[in-house]
Amino acid sequence: MQIIPLPAFRDNYIWLLRDDRHAVVVDPGDAAPVLDYLEAEGLSLSAVLITHFHPDHTAGVGALLARHPAPVYGPRQEAIAGVSHPVGEGDEILCEGLGLRLQVLDVPGHTLGHVAYYAPGLLFCGDTLFGAGCGRVLGSTPQALYASLQRIAALPGDTQVYCTHEYTLANLAFAAAVEPGNAAVAKRVAACEAQRAAQVATVPFPLAGEFETNPFLRADQPQVRARAEQEAGTSLGAAEAVFTVLRDWKNRF
């Protein structure tokens, strides 16, 4: 099985999982790049996976189904046109043709009903976790997003994270502001700059690297707490409070 990034809009990735005959797509906000790829490669669409309701993740579903009827899986707690199989925590999806079984995880925070799709070694997490960052809180709470990120952080470190935006360098700029002395952040900036200069995606990335460079997964670190307290102008309690300050600061960064 191969996993192909199909660029869309300004900085989205539509993920296409394929073998020689079948394909599954994740968060097709635009049908055109998917249709072009399926036609060029002679592939049959087996399924569509949706992580949340935002149009840049869903707007291509109708045009895809018009040409390639297929089951569409999406979060049970969100009303999304075209979803034929609402899913939530504990559900499993067997991707016909690919022989891939995915576990559905509820990861609210970016939106109220956001889900992710996990199999050993890979995670499709939509807009919950980004390279060196995380999603904005839109319709949910910082506490919910923090809990979802902690849940993702408990997955094996070698999990490859397939998020849906090329935000890594922008997020690393914020990470450097939070921890200007973090050598791992500086090293990742250089590596990602080289990737982008070569027009290579910075996604996917291994989860383990986030614990060294992603401030939203480092809210329990003393230096991150100190910088968040400086920004907030007050002492902070649990790591969740540090995270909340960081998320608000990032919104204004």
Side-chain angles (χ1 to χ4, degrees), residues 174 178 224-238 240-250 252:
F174 177 69
V178 176
V224 175
R225 172 184 293 276
R227 189 64 182 88
E229 290 179 339
Q230 180 183 0
E231 179 67 20
T234 186
S235 61
L236 299 170
E240 182 182 277
V242 175
F243 170 84
T244 300
V245 169
L246 292 174
R247 184 58 269 180
D248 180 67
W249 180 13
K250 178 64 163 61
R252 297 178 280 103

Side-chain angles (χ1 to χ4, degrees), residues 101-120:
R101 190 176 298 276
L102 294 165
Q103 179 183 355
V104 181
L105 308 178
D106 282 347
V107 287
H110 178 61
T111 66
L112 190 61
H114 202 302
V115 299
Y117 301 94
Y118 172 75

Side-chain angles (χ1 to χ4, degrees), residues 3-248:
I3 304 178
I4 310 296
L6 301 178
F9 310 121
R10 185 167 63 91
D11 50 34
N12 281 64
Y13 292 124
I14 300 167
W15 296 106
L16 185 143
L17 296 70
R18 61 163 295 180
D19 62 9
D20 292 339
R21 295 185 299 155
H22 307 92
V24 171
V25 292
V26 183
D27 284 346
D30 185 0
V34 181
L35 291 171
D36 289 347
Y37 190 92
L38 294 175
E39 181 176 357
E41 297 293 320
L43 299 175
S44 171
L45 184 64
S46 295
V48 177
L49 309 178
I50 303 295
T51 61
H52 64 291
F53 73 90
H54 289 159
D56 62 322
H57 297 251
T58 63
V61 171
L64 273 181
L65 296 182
R67 295 270 297 276
H68 298 271
V72 180
Y73 300 87
R76 184 174 292 122
Q77 296 186 55
E78 297 185 353
I80 301 172
V83 169
S84 57
H85 293 67
V87 294
E89 181 67 33
D91 289 336
E92 286 192 345
I93 299 168
L94 177 61
C95 298
E96 296 291 344
L98 297 181
L100 176 66
R101 190 176 298 276
L102 294 165
Q103 179 183 355
V104 181
L105 308 178
D106 282 347
V107 287
H110 178 61
T111 66
L112 190 61
H114 202 302
V115 299
Y117 301 94
Y118 172 75
L122 57 90
L123 175 73
F124 298 95
C125 62
D127 287 357
T128 301
L129 175 68
F130 295 129
C134 70
R136 291 176 178 264
V137 177
L138 301 172
S140 187
T141 65
Q143 293 77 20
L145 182 54
Y146 178 76
S148 293
L149 291 172
Q150 289 301 297
R151 182 172 191 195
I152 290 174
L155 297 174
D158 62 355
T159 301
Q160 292 291 308
V161 178
Y162 293 83
C163 62
T164 46
H165 288 281
E166 182 58 70
Y167 287 167
T168 311
L169 276 172
N171 288 337
L172 284 167
F174 177 69
V178 176
E179 294 186 89
N182 187 328
V185 169
K187 182 178 179 180
R188 190 174 183 186
V189 168
C192 289
E193 285 178 341
Q195 285 177 290
R196 298 309 293 147
Q199 298 185 321
V200 174
T202 64
V203 185
F205 50 85
L207 179 60
E210 298 305 295
F211 302 119
E212 298 179 344
T213 58
N214 189 327
F216 298 103
L217 294 186
R218 293 175 56 79
D220 60 341
Q221 297 299 303
Q223 62 271 32
V224 175
R225 172 184 293 276
R227 189 64 182 88
E229 290 179 339
Q230 180 183 0
E231 179 67 20
T234 186
S235 61
L236 299 170
E240 182 182 277
V242 175
F243 170 84
T244 300
V245 169
L246 292 174
R247 184 58 269 180
D248 180 67

